[in-house]
Amino acid sequence: MNPIKIIIAGPRGRMGREAVKLVSNTTHFELVAVVDHKYDSMMLSDLEGFQTIHHVPIYNDIEKCLQTIKADVLIDLTTPEVGMFHARTALHYHVRPVVGTTGFSKEDLAELEEICQKKELGCIIAPNFAIGAVLMMKFSQMAAKYFPDVEIIEMHHDGKLDAPSGTAVKTAEMISESRIKKQQGHPNEKETMNGARGANFDGMHIHSVRLPGLVAHQQVLFGSDGQTLTLRHDSYNRGSFMSGVKVAVETVMKHNHFVYGLENILE
Amino acid sequence: MNPIKIIIAGPRGRMGREAVKLVSNTTHFELVAVVDHKYDSMMLSDLEGFQTIHHVPIYNDIEKCLQTIKADVLIDLTTPEVGMFHARTALHYHVRPVVGTTGFSKEDLAELEEICQKKELGCIIAPNFAIGAVLMMKFSQMAAKYFPDVEIIEMHHDGKLDAPSGTAVKTAEMISESRIKKQQGHPNEKETMNGARGANFDGMHIHSVRLPGLVAHQQVLFGSDGQTLTLRHDSYNRGSFMSGVKVAVETVMKHNHFVYGLENILE
Amino acid sequence: MNPIKIIIAGPRGRMGREAVKLVSNTTHFELVAVVDHKYDSMMLSDLEGFQTIHHVPIYNDIEKCLQTIKADVLIDLTTPEVGMFHARTALHYHVRPVVGTTGFSKEDLAELEEICQKKELGCIIAPNFAIGAVLMMKFSQMAAKYFPDVEIIEMHHDGKLDAPSGTAVKTAEMISESRIKKQQGHPNEKETMNGARGANFDGMHIHSVRLPGLVAHQQVLFGSDGQTLTLRHDSYNRGSFMSGVKVAVETVMKHNHFVYGLENILE
Amino acid sequence: MNPIKIIIAGPRGRMGREAVKLVSNTTHFELVAVVDHKYDSMMLSDLEGFQTIHHVPIYNDIEKCLQTIKADVLIDLTTPEVGMFHARTALHYHVRPVVGTTGFSKEDLAELEEICQKKELGCIIAPNFAIGAVLMMKFSQMAAKYFPDVEIIEMHHDGKLDAPSGTAVKTAEMISESRIKKQQGHPNEKETMNGARGANFDGMHIHSVRLPGLVAHQQVLFGSDGQTLTLRHDSYNRGSFMSGVKVAVETVMKHNHFVYGLENILE
C-alpha cells in the first residue's frame, strides 16, 4: 500500500507543529510539502524545530504547491478565512481537505458540500479534533435519551476568561437534541447563595470550576433511580488533538462526500 | 392509548418487588396478575409489603394465568429454568416476555428466537437491566476502536467473594471485540509486588477494589496521547434496574423479533 | 475491662435505631436503658424492630432513668431543646453526654462547658457524626494553608431543597479560617451564562449538583502550579454516622472536659 | 524585610530550571549565585534558557562560592553524593541547606542532624517536594486511624517501568504506622483471574494503572459502613514541586534544627 501523501498548511502554529510530528511518525503517511505565508522556496528542515524533517519544500502559494506536488490530503491548520480558500482550492486540484479551524459560515459549509458532491471527493471540517472530547459529547447525547437528568461540570485553569467553556455549551446543545425537555432539580429548590446551582441551559445545569494547575477537563453526570453514569474527558496537552487528525485523514480517503464535525465520522 | 397489561412472575423476590412498584407507579402500565409458586388464588394485596396493590390475582400455574387473564407482556424475574419455561409458554399465548435472569443456554436462546420469528412477536432476555451499566459497556466498546489502551477498575463492598466482577469481565469481552489487540503497558514493566498491575485479560488490565461502604461501581479508563476518557457507573441500590425494565417493556411491544441483551435495544 | 454502660435517648428515630444496633453489636458497649417520650415501663424488645434487644427498659423521665439505672454515657439523638435538658441532667448524675443534635445556642454551650469543668466530666456535642465528612473538612482546612485556591462541589439527590448544603458552607467557613484571603479565578473572567461560576463565599466558589440517584457527596478541589489535590466524601446511608458515635463514646470516657464538634477529638 | 539570599546547585537540571524560575519570580527571594560543574566564572545569563536572569555568577566549586557570596539558603537539586557534600559544606559556612534528592544513608542523615544541632541551623532534606502528594500521604496516615480499610490506586503514563510507584509504597508504609493491622477483603474472597485484587502490602491492596496520556496520579480510598473517603493527588508537570521548595526555604530560615521529609514541616 502506498502511503497517503499529505500537505500541511500552517506548519509553524501550535497545532501545525504537532501535525508535522504526527505525519512524520506515521508509517502510512508521507509529508510531501507545507504551505506557509513565509519562507517560500526554502526547505522545512531549514526552520527551527524542524531540522530532522527532510525533503519537504515550503510554498507560499497553495495553487503553485498543488500544481507542482502530487498529494492526496491537505491538512489545514491556519485560520477560518484562509481555511475556506485552501479547502476550495484543494478540492479543485482533487486533493481532499481535512480542516481544523472553527468559524465557517453556513454558506461556506454549503459551498464545500456542493463541490464535494460534484467532484465525488471527501472533505472533513472539524472544530475539535480531540477524539476523547468528541466521544464524550456523542455518548452524552446517546445517554440523555434514557437519563434526562444531567449536569455538566467543566474544569479549567484559572487563566480562562469565559464560563462556561465552549465544549460545555456544545455538549449541552447536543444533549438538548436528544433528551426529553425537563426542568431539573426540585421545583421548590432555592439558592441560599446566588449561583450555587450553576448556569441553567434549557433546564440542565452547568458548573465551571477554575483553578491553577488544571488544564482542560469535563464531566457529564447522569442520574436516575439508584444509579449515576459519569462521562469524563481530561485533556493534558495539545497532543490530544492528533489522534483525531489521524482518524480524519484515514477516513477522508475513503469518503466521497462532505462531513462537518468529527462526531459524524466516529461510529 | 390503552395501558400495557403486564403479568409479573416472581413478585416476592428483591427484583420482583421493585418491578411491582415500577408497574404500579407507571401511568401507561397496568399490573393484571402475578405468578408465584405459593399463595395460589389469593390476591397480591393479601401479602406483606403489597397491601396497597389492589385487584391483582396470584396464580401458581402460568398456563392457567395466561388462559384466564388477558396480558401484553410477561416480566419474568424468577430463575433460569423457570424463566425459559415461562418465556416459551407466554409466547404460545401471544404474550411478549421480558426476562431478567441469566444462565440461558445457546439452545434456549435459539429456540426462543425461532418461536419469535414464527409468531412475529417481540421477546427480550436481559441479564443486566441497569441501563447505566449497559451504556457504560456499550460506550466502552465504541471508544476502544479509537483508544486501544484501556484499564478497568471495578469497586464493590467487601462482602463480594469473586474478583473481578461479572460486569468487569463482560466489559472486557465487549472491548476485545472492537479494539485492535495489543499488550498494554511498557514491554519491560515489572511488578515489585505481585499483582500490582492487576489481572490481564487479552492484554488489558482489570483491578478489583473491595471496601466496606462501597456498593457496586466501575470505571473504564481510556488513555491516548495527551488525554484520557473515563466512563463510570455507580449503582447505589436495586432501583437502578427498573429504568431498564421500563425501557424493555416499552420496546418489546414495538418488536416482532427476539433480542438478547439490553445493549441491543439501546440506540 | 467492664463494658461501657450506655443509655440511648430517642431510640426510635432514624439515627436512634442505628445507635441501638451499634451499641448492641459492640462488645465493649452495653445498652442499659432507653429514654423515649412514649412506652414508659415497657421493654425495648416489645417494640417493632427491636425484638432481639433484650433486657432494656424504657423510661419517659430521664431523671427517673438516671436515678434507677447505673450508666457511664448518655447518647442523645432527640431534638436540640430536649438534648440540652438531657445533657444537663446527665452531667448532674455523673453520666457523660454524647449529643448528636444541632441548634445549641452559645449560652447552652457555655453552660455545658462550665458544668463539665466543675464536675471534671467529659461531654461531646457533635452536629455531624460522619467521621469521613469531618475528616474531609479538617483536611480541607489544613490544605488551604498551602493551597489558597479551592472550589467545593457538593452533590445530592434532587429532593434536596437548599443549595449549597450545610456541610459545604461549614467546609467553606473552616477553610476561610486558615487560608490567605483571595478572590479566585481570573480578575477579568466573565460568565456568558449566569451562575456558571457557582456561589462566591469569601472569594472561593461553591457548586451544587442535584440529580436523582445521588445520595450525599462532596469534593473539595485544591489547585496549584502543576498539581491538584482532591478530598472527597461519599455518604451512602445513615450507617455512616455510627463510626463517629463509637469514637465519641470511647473518647468521652477518657475526657474530663467539654468538646464541641467531632473534628476536635479526631487527631 | 530583606529578601532571602539563595544559591542554587544544579540549575540546568529539570528541577533546577524550575527552581531558578521560582526564585527569580518570588519577591522576597533573591538568587545570588549558582553552582554547576560546568561554565565556571560565566554568568547564568550566558546560558541558553536563562538569558533574562541577570547578575548571577556561576561557580564550579561550592567552597569558593560560599566564601565569596553571602547567602542564607542553598537549594540543592543535584545528586545524592554531591548533595551530601554540598549540605555539609553549606552548614560549615552558616548557610541553610534545602536538599531535594533521595538516597541519603542513615549515617548521612545522622551526621547532618548533629551538625545542625551544634551550629543551631535549619536544614531540610525532602525526597518529594510536591506538597499535594505529601499532604495526601499525611492525611492518609491520619484517616487510617479511623478507617482501617483502605486501598491505593496509583496511575501513571505507560512509560513507567516499576509497579507500584514509590509514592504508593511510601503511602502504604505511612498508613501501616497508624492503622490497626488487618487483612482486608472477605476472608473467602477468590481471584478468578490472577492479580485482580492487586498487590498486598501488610493486608491492604495497591493497584497500578498504566496508560498513555496519564502523567502521575494517586487515589487513596477509605471505606467504612455507609461511607467512603477519597484522597487524590494529580501531578501534571514539574511545576508541582515548586510550591514545596518555596515553603521549605521559608521554613528553613525559622528553624535551628534538622528535618527529613516535607511532611514534618507541614502542619
Side-chain angles (χ1 to χ4, degrees):
Chain A
M1 198 182 74
N2 288 330
I4 301 174
K5 291 176 191 302
I6 298 171
I7 296 168
I8 293 175
R12 290 181 299 116
R14 293 180 303 182
M15 291 273 288
R17 283 181 187 273
E18 294 287 336
V20 168
K21 231 189 288 175
L22 169 80
V23 172
S24 308
N25 295 336
T26 304
T27 320
H28 59 292
F29 286 2
E30 183 186 348
L31 185 60
V32 293
V34 299
V35 175
D36 193 304
H37 67 280
K38 281 191 182 171
Y39 307 112
D40 196 29
S41 309
M42 287 172 69
M43 297 301 284
L44 189 55
S45 54
D46 296 334
L47 306 190
E48 208 197 309
F50 298 104
Q51 286 90 339
T52 62
I53 315 292
H54 298 295
H55 311 301
V56 178
I58 306 175
Y59 289 84
N60 275 184
D61 181 344
I62 187 142
E63 287 227 51
K64 197 172 143 205
C65 176
L66 291 163
Q67 282 162 358
T68 318
I69 303 282
K70 199 186 143 29
D72 301 304
V73 171
L74 168 74
I75 299 176
D76 186 276
L77 301 162
T78 59
T79 60
E81 311 79 55
V82 177
M84 182 60 197
F85 169 62
H86 279 180
R88 197 193 283 121
T89 312
L91 286 167
H92 181 74
Y93 285 90
H94 274 80
V95 171
R96 294 155 199 256
V98 167
V99 185
T101 53
T102 53
F104 282 81
S105 70
K106 282 194 179 174
E107 290 70 32
D108 289 342
L109 299 177
E111 183 192 335
L112 290 173
E113 183 157 20
E114 203 191 318
I115 305 179
C116 287
Q117 208 173 343
K118 260 191 227 153
K119 298 246 176 193
E120 299 194 342
L121 278 175
C123 172
I124 297 174
I125 313 286
N128 189 344
F129 272 124
I131 291 188
V134 173
L135 287 177
M136 174 187 60
M137 289 188 263
K138 190 184 175 86
F139 294 161
S140 294
Q141 191 176 44
M142 292 169 73
K145 278 188 223 170
Y146 304 101
F147 295 137
D149 289 283
V150 51
E151 304 215 359
I152 298 171
I153 305 173
E154 54 93 345
M155 298 176 285
H156 287 82
H157 55 89
D158 63 349
K160 189 169 176 64
L161 291 177
D162 54 316
S165 71
T167 300
V169 175
K170 171 82 176 157
T171 306
E173 287 169 354
M174 285 177 67
I175 288 173
S176 273
E177 288 171 21
S178 70
R179 80 166 189 151
I180 295 163
K181 208 172 177 123
K182 70 174 286 189
Q183 181 60 44
Q184 291 177 205
H186 194 285
N188 299 329
E189 76 177 12
K190 99 178 170 219
E191 290 181 343
T192 57
M193 291 185 200
N194 253 351
R197 289 286 286 121
N200 189 325
F201 179 94
D202 206 17
M204 72 188 103
H205 294 253
I206 306 178
H207 311 270
S208 299
V209 174
R210 297 289 175 267
L211 284 172
L214 289 173
V215 188
H217 318 261
Q218 183 174 300
Q219 341 185 16
V220 187
L221 278 86
F222 295 91
S224 126
D225 192 19
Q227 68 187 319
T228 53
L229 176 70
T230 307
L231 310 176
R232 175 172 179 139
H233 183 249
D234 293 273
S235 180
Y236 301 110
N237 62 53
R238 215 152 281 113
S240 65
F241 295 104
M242 289 308 120
S243 52
V245 172
K246 185 160 172 280
V247 168
V249 167
E250 289 165 351
T251 306
V252 83
M253 287 302 291
K254 301 178 203 151
H255 274 188
N256 53 6
H257 61 276
F258 176 79
V259 172
Y260 181 74
L262 204 61
E263 63 273 24
N264 295 310
I265 65 167
L266 303 180
E267 289 143 10
Chain B
M1 196 183 73
N2 287 330
I4 302 174
K5 290 176 190 304
I6 297 171
I7 296 168
I8 294 176
R12 289 180 302 115
R14 292 181 303 183
M15 291 273 288
R17 283 180 188 273
E18 292 288 336
V20 168
K21 230 189 289 174
L22 169 78
V23 172
S24 308
N25 295 337
T26 305
T27 320
H28 59 293
F29 287 1
E30 182 186 350
L31 184 60
V32 292
V34 298
V35 175
D36 194 305
H37 66 281
K38 282 191 182 171
Y39 307 111
D40 196 30
S41 309
M42 287 173 67
M43 297 302 282
L44 188 55
S45 54
D46 296 334
L47 305 189
E48 207 196 310
F50 297 103
Q51 285 90 340
T52 61
I53 316 291
H54 297 296
H55 311 301
V56 179
I58 306 177
Y59 289 84
N60 275 184
D61 181 345
I62 187 140
E63 286 227 53
K64 198 171 142 205
C65 175
L66 291 162
Q67 283 162 359
T68 318
I69 303 282
K70 199 184 142 30
D72 301 303
V73 172
L74 169 73
I75 299 176
D76 186 275
L77 301 163
T78 60
T79 62
E81 311 81 53
V82 177
M84 182 61 198
F85 169 64
H86 279 179
R88 199 193 282 122
T89 312
L91 286 167
H92 181 74
Y93 285 91
H94 274 80
V95 170
R96 293 155 201 255
V98 167
V99 185
T101 55
T102 54
F104 284 80
S105 70
K106 282 195 181 175
E107 290 72 33
D108 288 344
L109 300 177
E111 184 192 334
L112 291 173
E113 183 157 20
E114 205 191 317
I115 305 179
C116 287
Q117 209 173 342
K118 262 191 224 151
K119 299 248 177 191
E120 298 193 342
L121 278 176
C123 171
I124 296 173
I125 313 286
N128 189 343
F129 271 125
I131 290 188
V134 173
L135 287 177
M136 173 187 61
M137 289 188 263
K138 190 185 176 86
F139 295 161
S140 295
Q141 192 177 43
M142 292 168 75
K145 278 188 224 170
Y146 305 100
F147 295 137
D149 289 283
V150 52
E151 305 216 359
I152 298 171
I153 304 172
E154 54 93 345
M155 299 176 284
H156 286 82
H157 55 88
D158 64 348
K160 190 170 175 61
L161 292 177
D162 54 315
S165 71
T167 300
V169 175
K170 172 82 175 157
T171 307
E173 286 170 354
M174 286 177 67
I175 288 173
S176 272
E177 288 170 22
S178 71
R179 81 167 188 151
I180 294 164
K181 209 174 176 117
K182 70 173 285 189
Q183 182 58 46
Q184 290 176 206
H186 194 284
N188 299 329
E189 76 177 12
K190 97 176 172 222
E191 289 181 344
T192 56
M193 293 185 198
N194 254 349
R197 288 287 285 119
N200 189 323
F201 179 94
D202 207 18
M204 73 187 100
H205 295 252
I206 306 178
H207 310 270
S208 300
V209 173
R210 298 288 175 268
L211 284 172
L214 289 173
V215 188
H217 318 261
Q218 183 174 301
Q219 340 186 15
V220 187
L221 277 87
F222 296 89
S224 126
D225 191 20
Q227 68 187 318
T228 53
L229 176 69
T230 307
L231 310 176
R232 175 174 180 138
H233 184 249
D234 293 273
S235 180
Y236 302 111
N237 62 52
R238 216 153 279 115
S240 65
F241 294 103
M242 289 308 118
S243 52
V245 172
K246 184 158 173 281
V247 168
V249 167
E250 290 164 352
T251 306
V252 83
M253 287 301 292
K254 302 179 203 152
H255 274 189
N256 52 7
H257 60 278
F258 175 79
V259 173
Y260 181 75
L262 203 61
E263 63 273 23
N264 295 309
I265 63 167
L266 303 181
E267 288 142 11
Chain C
M1 197 181 73
N2 287 330
I4 301 174
K5 290 177 192 302
I6 297 171
I7 297 167
I8 294 175
R12 288 180 300 114
R14 291 178 306 181
M15 291 274 287
R17 283 179 187 274
E18 293 288 336
V20 168
K21 231 189 287 173
L22 169 79
V23 173
S24 309
N25 294 335
T26 305
T27 319
H28 58 294
F29 286 1
E30 183 187 347
L31 185 59
V32 291
V34 299
V35 175
D36 194 305
H37 66 280
K38 283 191 184 172
Y39 308 112
D40 195 29
S41 310
M42 287 174 69
M43 298 300 285
L44 189 56
S45 54
D46 296 334
L47 306 189
E48 207 196 311
F50 297 104
Q51 285 90 340
T52 62
I53 316 290
H54 297 297
H55 311 300
V56 178
I58 307 176
Y59 288 84
N60 274 183
D61 182 345
I62 187 140
E63 285 227 53
K64 196 171 143 206
C65 175
L66 290 163
Q67 283 162 357
T68 318
I69 302 283
K70 199 186 143 29
D72 301 304
V73 172
L74 168 74
I75 299 176
D76 187 275
L77 302 163
T78 58
T79 61
E81 310 81 53
V82 178
M84 182 61 197
F85 169 64
H86 279 179
R88 197 193 283 121
T89 313
L91 286 167
H92 181 74
Y93 285 90
H94 273 80
V95 170
R96 293 156 201 255
V98 168
V99 184
T101 53
T102 53
F104 283 82
S105 70
K106 281 193 182 177
E107 290 70 31
D108 289 343
L109 299 177
E111 183 192 334
L112 291 173
E113 184 158 19
E114 204 191 317
I115 305 179
C116 287
Q117 210 174 342
K118 263 191 223 152
K119 299 246 178 194
E120 298 194 342
L121 278 176
C123 171
I124 297 174
I125 313 286
N128 189 344
F129 272 124
I131 290 189
V134 173
L135 287 176
M136 174 187 61
M137 288 188 265
K138 189 184 176 85
F139 295 161
S140 295
Q141 192 177 42
M142 292 169 73
K145 278 189 225 171
Y146 305 100
F147 294 138
D149 289 283
V150 52
E151 305 216 359
I152 298 171
I153 306 172
E154 53 93 346
M155 298 176 284
H156 285 82
H157 56 88
D158 64 348
K160 190 171 176 62
L161 291 178
D162 53 316
S165 70
T167 299
V169 175
K170 170 83 175 156
T171 305
E173 286 169 354
M174 287 177 66
I175 288 173
S176 272
E177 289 171 21
S178 70
R179 80 167 190 150
I180 295 163
K181 209 173 176 120
K182 70 174 286 189
Q183 180 59 44
Q184 291 176 206
H186 195 284
N188 299 328
E189 76 176 13
K190 97 177 173 220
E191 289 181 343
T192 56
M193 292 185 199
N194 254 349
R197 288 287 286 119
N200 189 324
F201 179 95
D202 207 17
M204 73 187 102
H205 294 252
I206 306 178
H207 310 269
S208 300
V209 173
R210 298 288 175 267
L211 284 172
L214 289 172
V215 188
H217 318 261
Q218 182 174 302
Q219 338 186 19
V220 186
L221 278 86
F222 295 91
S224 125
D225 191 19
Q227 68 187 319
T228 53
L229 176 69
T230 308
L231 309 176
R232 176 175 178 136
H233 183 249
D234 293 273
S235 179
Y236 301 111
N237 62 52
R238 218 153 277 113
S240 65
F241 295 103
M242 289 307 120
S243 51
V245 172
K246 185 159 173 280
V247 168
V249 167
E250 290 164 352
T251 305
V252 84
M253 287 302 291
K254 301 178 204 152
H255 274 188
N256 53 7
H257 60 276
F258 175 78
V259 172
Y260 181 74
L262 204 60
E263 63 274 23
N264 295 309
I265 63 167
L266 303 180
E267 291 143 10
Chain D
M1 196 182 74
N2 287 330
I4 301 174
K5 290 177 191 302
I6 297 171
I7 297 169
I8 294 176
R12 288 180 301 113
R14 293 179 303 182
M15 291 273 288
R17 283 179 188 273
E18 293 287 337
V20 168
K21 232 189 289 174
L22 169 79
V23 173
S24 310
N25 295 335
T26 305
T27 319
H28 58 293
F29 286 1
E30 183 186 348
L31 185 59
V32 292
V34 299
V35 176
D36 194 304
H37 66 281
K38 283 190 183 172
Y39 307 112
D40 196 30
S41 310
M42 287 172 67
M43 297 301 284
L44 189 56
S45 55
D46 296 335
L47 305 189
E48 207 196 311
F50 298 103
Q51 286 89 341
T52 62
I53 316 290
H54 297 297
H55 311 301
V56 179
I58 306 177
Y59 288 84
N60 274 184
D61 181 345
I62 186 138
E63 286 227 52
K64 198 172 141 203
C65 176
L66 291 162
Q67 283 162 357
T68 318
I69 303 281
K70 198 184 143 31
D72 301 304
V73 171
L74 168 73
I75 299 176
D76 186 273
L77 301 163
T78 59
T79 62
E81 310 81 52
V82 178
M84 182 60 198
F85 170 64
H86 279 179
R88 198 194 282 123
T89 311
L91 286 167
H92 180 74
Y93 285 90
H94 274 79
V95 170
R96 294 155 199 254
V98 167
V99 184
T101 54
T102 54
F104 282 81
S105 70
K106 282 194 180 175
E107 290 71 33
D108 288 344
L109 300 177
E111 184 191 334
L112 291 173
E113 183 157 20
E114 204 192 317
I115 305 179
C116 287
Q117 210 175 340
K118 263 192 224 152
K119 299 247 176 193
E120 298 194 341
L121 278 175
C123 171
I124 297 173
I125 313 286
N128 189 344
F129 272 124
I131 291 189
V134 173
L135 287 177
M136 174 187 60
M137 288 188 264
K138 190 184 176 86
F139 295 161
S140 295
Q141 192 177 40
M142 293 170 74
K145 278 188 224 171
Y146 304 101
F147 295 137
D149 289 283
V150 51
E151 305 215 358
I152 298 171
I153 305 172
E154 54 93 345
M155 298 177 284
H156 286 82
H157 55 90
D158 64 349
K160 189 170 177 62
L161 291 177
D162 54 315
S165 71
T167 299
V169 175
K170 171 83 175 153
T171 306
E173 286 169 354
M174 286 178 67
I175 288 172
S176 273
E177 289 170 20
S178 70
R179 80 166 190 151
I180 295 164
K181 210 174 175 117
K182 70 174 286 188
Q183 181 59 46
Q184 291 177 206
H186 194 284
N188 299 328
E189 76 176 13
K190 96 176 175 223
E191 289 180 343
T192 56
M193 292 185 197
N194 254 348
R197 288 286 286 119
N200 189 324
F201 179 94
D202 206 17
M204 74 188 100
H205 295 252
I206 306 178
H207 311 269
S208 300
V209 173
R210 298 289 175 267
L211 284 172
L214 289 173
V215 188
H217 318 262
Q218 182 174 303
Q219 337 186 18
V220 187
L221 278 86
F222 295 91
S224 126
D225 192 19
Q227 68 186 318
T228 53
L229 176 69
T230 307
L231 310 176
R232 177 175 179 135
H233 184 247
D234 293 273
S235 179
Y236 301 112
N237 62 52
R238 217 152 277 114
S240 65
F241 295 103
M242 289 308 119
S243 50
V245 172
K246 185 159 172 281
V247 169
V249 167
E250 289 164 352
T251 306
V252 84
M253 287 301 291
K254 301 178 204 151
H255 275 188
N256 53 6
H257 61 276
F258 176 78
V259 172
Y260 180 74
L262 203 61
E263 63 274 24
N264 295 309
I265 63 167
L266 303 181
E267 292 143 7

